[in-house]
Amino acid sequence: MTAPYRSPWMTDELDMLRTTARRFFEDEVAPRAAKFRAQHHIDRDVWQRAGELGLLCMSIPEEYGGQGATFAHEVVVMEEQARICDTTFGFIPGAVNGPAFFFETANEEQRKRWMPDIASGRKMLSVCITEPDAGTDVKAMRTTARKEGDGYVLNGNKIFITHGQQAELSLVAARTGGTGSGAKGISLFMVEREKTDGFRINKVLEKVGQNGLDTCEIFLDNVYVPAENLIGGSEGRGFGQLMDVFVRERLSIGVVGITCAERAIELTVEHTKNRKMLGQTLWDFQNSRFTLAECLTEARIGRIFIDKLVADLVEGRPLDPNDAMMAKWWGSEKQCQIIDRCLQLFGGYGYMTEYPIAQLYMDARVARIYGGSNETLKDLIARSM
């Protein structure tokens, strides 16, 4: 048997982090994952425990409460979460991309004001961008921010907001210019929920998968925010700010996609080698071996591409937006395809939610939709050709 694949960017320090992250997910998250799915949110003590362990906002500089680490550190935690087939702990939206959205767009005073509480786990952050008629097409946004006195009044409707119910802080995209202003009319605001009225959770949405996340529909009804909560301090910069941060979000989705595919293969190899059928194991059937060999090959191709992009970030090379889009659509497509093929080899057991392969299957489907639908990303890639 060949040696297990090891990503070239791995180090001894990252191995130690992997041990910590694995213990956290096995001890704190896995035993309660069914509870989190039933109640549609995690328990806050688990989130705060992650903060105590330094697992939140790892790539945020230390002076703002983070660990001053690299994107590779965050990838290790994503991989360990995928290993237990979990999405109930909102690591990507709450510990990686939400904080990155805020940090990369905020000014110095705003970073010092809010970032330490986010990084420690004392406060959760939600990012409110998507609307019923403006998902991938952010420029179609209708939520407005009207200048009034020393602040702004926000009105509108947001949907599919992760951590929408639990978060004390919400980064809200709104239009400070008219609808004719397109991308140039969008700004970002920090809404401090305990300091304002009119921020209303309409409902926690029922989803096909990822049910441990409190994904919400939100109404903003005359929500007042002071001028100092305008992120970056200038109007009309929101669209450009969002596009810059989407790059790393898309790579994160690709990372998780390939990692979940790899985990599905591991589970299926174990199952087929133990499952008896017609006087032999499932593994003894050529179809099983060929299927898994094909799955492993496709996952490895994706893994090597992902590793190259992670290494680029770690070594300080800028990430090409097209590469991030390719990683996202390829990783999420292979995630869904490979998990589906693996589930087939479980037979009826693969359809039972108590089996991890079934959880992987349910949680995977949305990956082809969020972060920019795969069809839209392919169109954007084609425009650069």
Side-chain angles (χ1 to χ4, degrees), residues 52-129:
E52 293 169 3
L53 292 171
L55 298 178
L56 306 180
C57 308
M58 286 184 290
S59 62
I60 299 296
E62 292 182 74
E63 58 264 39
Y64 304 102
Q67 301 298 311
T70 69
F71 184 67
H73 291 73
E74 291 168 334
V75 171
V76 166
V77 180
M78 294 179 209
E79 291 175 343
E80 288 307 307
Q81 183 176 17
R83 180 178 172 273
I84 65 164
C85 308
D86 177 71
T87 58
T88 65
F89 184 84
F91 182 75
I92 288 183
V96 180
N97 292 323
F101 268 114
F102 170 65
F103 186 81
E104 297 297 331
T105 58
N107 59 34
E108 186 69 5
E109 187 278 330
Q110 291 166 341
R111 291 172 177 173
K112 290 180 177 177
R113 180 179 172 189
W114 289 305
M115 201 68 243
D117 279 344
I118 297 170
S120 68
R122 290 189 295 269
K123 291 186 178 180
M124 293 180 77
L125 174 70
S126 65
V127 179
C128 305
I129 300 172

Side-chain angles (χ1 to χ4, degrees), residues 235-301:
E235 291 185 10
R237 298 176 57 228
F239 184 79
Q241 293 169 325
L242 292 173
M243 293 304 104
D244 290 342
V245 184
F246 275 149
V247 172
R248 200 169 76 154
E249 179 188 42
R250 286 164 179 163
L251 176 55
S252 299
I253 295 170
V255 168
V256 171
I258 293 300
T259 308
C260 287
E262 292 169 336
R263 183 57 177 150
I265 295 166
E266 292 173 357
L267 291 169
T268 310
V269 168
E270 179 183 7
H271 174 76
T272 56
K273 287 185 175 181
N274 288 288
R275 175 70 169 160
K276 297 292 195 298
M277 177 178 284
L278 302 177
Q280 57 186 341
T281 68
L282 277 177
W283 178 257
D284 293 322
F285 288 93
Q286 187 183 69
N287 176 70
S288 301
R289 300 195 304 275
F290 277 18
T291 295
L292 288 166
E294 291 166 3
C295 289
L296 180 61
T297 302
E298 292 185 340
R300 184 62 52 81
I301 291 168

